[in-house]
Amino acid sequence: MSCATFNVAASLNLHECTKHAVSKPFGFRHQSTFHNFSSLFLETLNLSSTGHSFGRDIPSRSFRSVFKCAAQYSESSPVGVDTKNNYQETVTVLVIGGGGREHALCYALQRSPSCETVLCAPGNAGISSSKNATCISDLDIYDGEAVISFCRKRGVGLVVVGPEAPLVAGLTNELVKAGIPTFGPSAEASALEGSKNFMKHLCDKYDIPTAKYKTFTDPSAAKQYIQEQGAPIVIKADGLAAGKGVTVAMTLEEAHEAVDSMLVKGDFGSAGCRVIVEEFLEGEEASFFALVDGENAIPLESAQDHKRVGDGDTGPNTGGMGAYSPAPILTKELQSIVMDSIIIPTVKGMSAEGSKFVGVLYAGLMIEKKSGMPKLIEYNVRFGDPECQVLMVRLESDLVQVLLAACRGELNGISLNWSPGSAMVVVMASNGYPGSYEKGTLIENLEEAELVAPGVKIFHAGTAFDSEGRFIATGGRVLGITAKGNDLEEARDRAYQAVEKVNWSGGFFRRDIGWRALPQKQYATKG
């Protein structure tokens, strides 16, 4: 209900207004809010009965003030209204997860005008210390009933599920069934990431361009196919493997070792019980994100990740060592092609298969060198990490209202606002990552690093407090040093200035994030 509606009500007989207020609580989200409003309303009537006028000298807790207050708590349109005469609801948001992606989501949600408060389960030390959210470390995010109970107790109006594992486990299914708006796909729709074989079959059925492939459970058959195709070739574990289940084999020996690792040794557990052997695509990788409401999709800004652990894209694959946005490789023309040939057919295909997708579709793309056209490498069913970090610092729209619109199936016609310029994130990881690494190493000087230049924000992925309240590393990828700039070069320089300020002998970073788009600069190596 708009303020204009309340102003009309103000001109009516006061007793009629009272009757209307008591019988119709103006769309208040909380009964206590309505009772508070009623008390103020009756107080106003008492002022009237003692001879106070509704003119310029009316007391501050007046009839008009009460209605203005009420308008602020009334229901709003799905995308929010930002005019003088309209007020939008505020929502308590629960973010599920505790990594760098979730820290970035908390940061963006907290900045949303329609966000009342952000909770994060389990969260991490950096999220807590930054006050971007209140961390709920003891909530079991794999216990649907516990999450539902918590949401009801705290009046949560939106749940945003960050990691893939609870999505694949069906957390969204349980929350939606309980009537709690949840941004994230169902377990069935999460198969787009949970099973590469499922994704490939969908591509076949709905003519979505992707690399040629075959699926195997028998190591001998897989090796015979590899021998026929030759190297380089790509070996993928079918299931979730924390971003490490892909081997880009440059030799036949590497390919055979990858097959043995998955199908014989069982290094990836059940995720590696089936493998996809895929043709090697030569070109430039890019990340494309779209918000989806089950039938409609809207694109986010482009970003480019750096998967390999070493400078110059060398060494084993990781979860991602850095990213920047926008990605020059994804021109407006290419983005349109991606939407028309990959994203929309996927959304329509999932709907036709009876598994409507609601959430963010993260398409890992290869822009082929020989054709200049995009092919789908893989889907993730959540915001990428570290791409989420650069997207969230650039987003200017009210993220809460946009995600609620997705949950309601109302994305059609919505567009997003982004800050001009560029953003870059440089990941600092524990020495030894993506292999074994030491935990508990001390990290210092983070506050100074964040102040080294304008537009710097440090997102925590794997940190905790030691007994003295100091930050220590607890994961492989630990920090996302993120910076905005007027252009990519300025964003890069600011990010690396902040990296240089961090005092962490147990960590390392790539020195060439953005190398495809910028002239190379050399930065000192930590540790």
Side-chain angles (χ1 to χ4, degrees), residues 446-520:
L446 292 179
E447 287 186 13
E448 292 82 352
E450 247 184 0
L451 297 173
V452 73
V456 173
K457 174 67 178 175
I458 297 179
F459 295 112
H460 290 239
T463 62
F465 293 120
D466 67 8
S467 59
E468 298 179 33
R470 301 174 301 180
F471 285 114
I472 57 172
T474 58
R477 293 186 300 163
V478 176
L479 300 169
I481 315 297
T482 309
K484 291 199 297 181
N486 291 319
D487 53 32
L488 187 56
E489 186 166 9
E490 184 174 59
R492 176 187 63 180
D493 289 346
R494 288 176 173 179
Y496 277 106
Q497 284 175 39
V499 167
E500 296 293 347
K501 284 287 183 183
V502 176
N503 184 8
W504 180 29
S505 61
F508 76 98
F509 60 95
R510 275 186 59 163
R511 296 170 293 158
D512 64 344
I513 302 302
W515 70 275
R516 290 183 181 275
L518 290 170
Q520 285 196 37

Side-chain angles (χ1 to χ4, degrees), residues 117-324:
T117 188
V118 183
L119 310 171
C120 187
N124 64 43
I127 295 173
S128 177
S129 66
S130 69
K131 296 183 171 45
N132 292 136
T134 299
C135 292
I136 315 297
S137 59
D138 58 350
L139 179 61
D140 184 356
I141 62 174
Y142 294 96
D143 184 342
E145 286 301 318
V147 176
I148 290 167
S149 175
F150 176 85
C151 289
R152 288 174 173 162
K153 181 179 178 182
R154 297 295 292 264
V156 171
L158 172 65
V159 177
V160 181
V161 185
E164 62 274 21
L167 291 170
V168 173
L171 180 60
T172 295
N173 300 57
E174 295 185 69
L175 291 169
V176 170
K177 187 177 179 180
I180 299 169
T182 303
F183 182 78
S186 66
E188 295 77 17
S190 295
L192 276 174
E193 178 173 359
S195 170
K196 295 177 182 65
N197 188 54
F198 173 87
M199 183 273 284
K200 286 289 194 178
H201 278 304
L202 191 84
C203 290
D204 287 346
K205 188 171 182 179
Y206 294 97
D207 297 321
I208 299 166
T210 188
K212 183 177 70 173
Y213 76 101
K214 277 196 175 181
T215 304
F216 298 93
T217 55
D218 175 39
S220 298
K223 289 177 183 178
Q224 182 177 343
Y225 179 74
I226 289 167
Q227 202 74 31
E228 293 167 0
Q229 299 302 308
I233 199 163
V234 181
I235 317 299
K236 297 181 177 181
D238 179 51
L240 298 177
K244 301 172 187 174
V246 178
T247 298
V248 180
M250 303 310 292
T251 65
L252 292 177
E253 184 181 7
E254 282 183 71
H256 291 168
E257 287 176 0
V259 169
D260 286 340
S261 171
M262 296 173 193
L263 292 180
V264 179
K265 298 177 183 176
D267 289 347
F268 294 95
S270 60
C273 289
R274 180 165 51 192
V275 301
I276 287 79
V277 180
E278 191 176 82
E279 73 170 313
F280 173 81
L281 298 177
E282 189 176 0
E284 191 168 343
E285 289 189 46
S287 304
F288 189 92
F289 299 85
L291 300 181
V292 182
D293 68 4
E295 295 290 346
N296 307 291
I298 59 172
L300 300 179
E301 269 288 305
S302 62
Q304 188 155 30
D305 189 12
H306 297 65
K307 287 292 187 189
R308 299 293 191 98
V309 72
D311 291 352
D313 286 344
T314 57
N317 271 0
T318 69
M321 294 299 295
Y324 56 89

Side-chain angles (χ1 to χ4, degrees), residues 410-433:
E410 296 172 351
L411 279 181
N412 193 30
I414 290 179
S415 58
L416 301 175
N417 296 322
W418 302 90
S419 66
S422 299
M424 178 177 288
V425 57
V426 178
V427 170
M428 299 189 74
S430 295
N431 290 333
Y433 175 81

Side-chain angles (χ1 to χ4, degrees), residues 316-505:
N317 271 0
T318 69
M321 294 299 295
Y324 56 89
S325 172
I329 185 68
L330 274 173
T331 63
K332 293 298 181 186
E333 181 185 5
L334 269 180
Q335 289 181 50
S336 180
I337 291 170
V338 172
M339 285 295 292
D340 292 341
S341 67
I342 295 176
I343 301 296
I344 297 301
T346 299
V347 174
K348 299 300 183 187
M350 291 298 288
S351 180
E353 296 294 319
S355 298
K356 285 191 176 185
F357 188 97
V358 176
V360 62
L361 262 184
Y362 162 18
L365 304 174
M366 179 67 75
I367 313 303
E368 273 204 287
K369 185 176 181 179
K370 61 183 179 183
S371 67
M373 297 299 286
K375 281 189 175 181
L376 179 65
I377 299 174
E378 64 178 1
Y379 266 133
N380 294 321
V381 297
R382 32 63 183 191
F383 286 99
D385 186 345
E387 296 97 331
C388 185
Q389 286 84 315
V390 290
L391 293 175
M392 291 303 104
V393 297
R394 292 192 59 215
L395 182 68
E396 293 186 340
S397 297
D398 186 325
L399 183 59
V400 170
Q401 290 299 320
V402 172
L403 299 188
L404 282 172
C407 294
R408 295 165 177 159
E410 296 172 351
L411 279 181
N412 193 30
I414 290 179
S415 58
L416 301 175
N417 296 322
W418 302 90
S419 66
S422 299
M424 178 177 288
V425 57
V426 178
V427 170
M428 299 189 74
S430 295
N431 290 333
Y433 175 81
S436 60
Y437 51 84
E438 182 184 357
K439 294 183 179 181
T441 54
L442 184 65
I443 307 170
E444 296 178 304
N445 226 36
L446 292 179
E447 287 186 13
E448 292 82 352
E450 247 184 0
L451 297 173
V452 73
V456 173
K457 174 67 178 175
I458 297 179
F459 295 112
H460 290 239
T463 62
F465 293 120
D466 67 8
S467 59
E468 298 179 33
R470 301 174 301 180
F471 285 114
I472 57 172
T474 58
R477 293 186 300 163
V478 176
L479 300 169
I481 315 297
T482 309
K484 291 199 297 181
N486 291 319
D487 53 32
L488 187 56
E489 186 166 9
E490 184 174 59
R492 176 187 63 180
D493 289 346
R494 288 176 173 179
Y496 277 106
Q497 284 175 39
V499 167
E500 296 293 347
K501 284 287 183 183
V502 176
N503 184 8
W504 180 29
S505 61

